[in-house]
Amino acid sequence: MTHTTLSPSELESFGAEIDALLTRTKADLGERDTRYIRRVVRVQRGLEAAGRALLFASGFSPLFPVVWALGTGALAASKILENMEIGHNVLHGQYDFTNDPTLSSQTYEWDIVCPSEQWRHSHNVLHHTYTNVRGVDHDLGYRMLRVDPSQPWTPLALLQPLSTLVLGLLFQWGVAAHDIDMPKYLFRPSERTEEQREKVRELFAKAKKQLRKDYVLFPLLAGPFALHVLAGNLVANVVRNVWSFLVIFCGHFPEGTETFPPEALDGETRGGFYLRQLRGSANFEGSWLLHVASGHLSHQIEHHMFPDVPAHRYPEMAREVRAICGKYGVAYNSSSLSSQVWSVAKKIVRLAFPSAGGDATPTAA
């Protein structure tokens, strides 16, 4: 993917046109957006109730495999909707304008082991401010993967095709460990700070609550069919993990997404900020249902440009962003979901080897 270099005046005009789109959209926010998110919440709660009821009922049904699969599927869909379209977007403050305490970014607690407050710091503050800036944005490989040739190669990179699969299966735990810098916390105990210790205590408390709900409380309520419910909850959580992982990786690591040195932040203008978000992100295309299930993070470019705008607005904003990019000759990275998955997979495997550019000299892990 070729990126056009904009002159300072072109960059200023580019930023002004993106800013104008943001201003127009924010001026239009209101009842339409409130109705949308409340409808999604109702659907999510209905799916969760149906899923848990079907899992309970599966033990009594002669059609056990079918009822169990339907219950597990409904519960997985509920968890995906809650995490992606509701939790992620509410925690970005996209619905703070409603003044509804149940949709407040400061009080919402989502159905995942990562405490909301820690996620707001690692994601909203660090990732969205320093998107793809090497050494600053720790989402760039999540401190364990080599996703850019400029990252030094170490022998551990050889394992990253396998560790990527494990991360996908356990993605909520990877997200939970992110703000703490868990590798450093575990392997350099002398450098632990009181802030880190407090975050670990908060993480354990949240994880205990989540584990107790899905693997103790609801199974016990099912009595003799506790294992049916436990297994359904486990599979639903894994499905949610894998789907979230795919959405996030396809939005950040396909071929063509750029990374930046820390110097890129020096004197960065508004237009420069938008351009960095654009070049560091990628979209994937699909149906309306696919967009909803991804929390509209299928439009990762627009999400990085407008993180506090209700995400269901991204498809209509994307048409204008794409037109502006075309006007200035700026590349816009968008493809089908399968293409982006394949692109990410090839990059993960290619960068597992030192011959894939960058520093080919092994360094200490």
Side-chain angles (χ1 to χ4, degrees):
M1 183 169 291
T2 303
H3 291 291
T4 302
T5 300
L6 301 183
S7 68
S9 61
E10 288 173 328
L11 190 58
E12 183 178 354
S13 298
F14 174 79
E17 292 201 39
I18 299 292
D19 260 341
L21 170 60
L22 174 61
T23 301
R24 286 198 304 275
T25 305
K26 282 197 166 183
D28 189 49
L29 297 183
E31 185 59 28
R32 171 189 163 196
D33 308 277
T34 306
R35 281 199 310 271
Y36 173 80
I37 192 62
R38 288 178 176 163
R39 187 163 64 244
V40 172
V41 169
R42 287 195 298 273
V43 170
Q44 182 269 321
R45 289 176 178 172
L47 283 168
E48 181 176 6
R52 296 199 184 281
L54 285 168
L55 285 174
F56 287 152
S58 65
F60 301 95
S61 173
L63 299 175
F64 164 72
V66 175
V67 177
W68 184 88
L70 288 173
T72 301
L75 187 58
S78 158
K79 287 177 175 288
I80 286 170
L81 263 188
E82 196 284 330
N83 279 188
M84 307 301 284
E85 185 70 316
I86 302 171
H88 172 271
N89 294 336
V90 166
L91 290 174
H92 263 293
Q94 294 179 3
Y95 296 96
D96 282 356
F97 75 91
T98 66
N99 294 318
D100 182 341
T102 66
L103 300 173
S104 167
S105 62
Q106 299 305 304
T107 57
Y108 190 87
E109 193 59 59
W110 57 351
D111 183 21
I112 187 174
V113 292
C114 180
S116 293
E117 185 176 351
Q118 293 182 22
W119 186 83
R120 283 198 300 270
H121 176 254
S122 65
H123 184 81
N124 290 9
V125 177
L126 297 182
H127 173 55
H128 274 271
T129 304
Y130 306 111
T131 306
N132 283 19
V133 176
R134 298 189 291 272
V136 184
D137 179 9
H138 298 299
D139 279 30
L140 199 57
Y142 295 95
R143 295 189 178 95
M144 61 182 289
L145 302 176
R146 186 178 184 234
V147 295
D148 187 86
S150 64
Q151 291 175 291
W153 182 86
T154 74
L156 281 177
L158 292 169
L159 298 176
Q160 72 177 25
L162 176 62
S163 55
T164 302
L165 291 175
V166 174
L167 177 62
L169 291 171
L170 303 174
F171 195 56
Q172 69 164 334
W173 295 97
V175 172
H178 197 42
D179 194 43
I180 298 168
D181 190 354
M182 194 58 80
K184 180 179 178 182
Y185 185 86
L186 291 176
F187 299 113
R188 298 181 190 174
S190 63
E191 298 179 20
R192 291 174 184 171
T193 65
E194 185 52 39
E195 180 185 12
Q196 282 181 312
R197 292 189 181 94
E198 179 58 29
K199 286 184 176 181
V200 169
R201 285 192 285 270
E202 291 171 354
L203 171 57
F204 280 171
K206 180 70 185 291
K208 182 179 176 182
K209 180 181 176 183
Q210 292 295 113
L211 293 172
R212 189 167 52 202
K213 172 171 68 76
D214 278 339
Y215 302 121
V216 178
L217 176 62
F218 283 111
L220 285 178
L221 289 175
F225 307 113
L227 286 180
H228 299 170
V229 173
L230 189 150
N233 290 348
L234 176 64
V235 172
N237 279 323
V238 171
V239 169
R240 181 274 318 277
N241 287 348
V242 172
W243 175 245
S244 305
F245 161 82
L246 288 175
V247 169
I248 299 305
F249 270 55
C250 287
H252 293 90
F253 305 133
E255 298 289 355
T257 52
E258 280 191 77
T259 66
F260 309 89
E263 295 75 29
L265 298 171
D266 296 338
E268 186 180 60
T269 63
R270 188 69 175 161
F273 173 82
Y274 284 133
L275 195 59
R276 178 163 56 84
Q277 304 303 321
L278 171 70
R279 290 177 168 173
S281 310
N283 287 3
F284 57 82
E285 300 154 8
S287 66
W288 170 83
L289 185 59
L290 181 76
H291 296 318
V292 173
S294 74
H296 287 90
L297 295 179
S298 49
H299 294 80
Q300 195 67 237
I301 291 172
E302 285 69 32
H303 176 57
H304 268 275
M305 287 182 166
F306 319 114
D308 60 349
V309 170
H312 75 107
R313 295 272 190 156
Y314 293 160
E316 60 197 54
M317 299 180 83
R319 288 192 286 273
E320 294 195 53
V321 170
R322 200 161 187 163
I324 294 169
C325 288
K327 177 180 176 182
Y328 288 88
V330 178
Y332 185 95
N333 190 342
S334 183
S335 189
S336 67
L337 175 60
S338 59
S339 294
Q340 299 293 38
V341 169
W342 180 237
S343 177
V344 172
K346 285 192 297 182
K347 179 188 277 190
I348 294 291
V349 172
R350 178 168 54 84
L351 293 177
F353 299 95
S355 58
D359 181 0
T361 303
T363 58

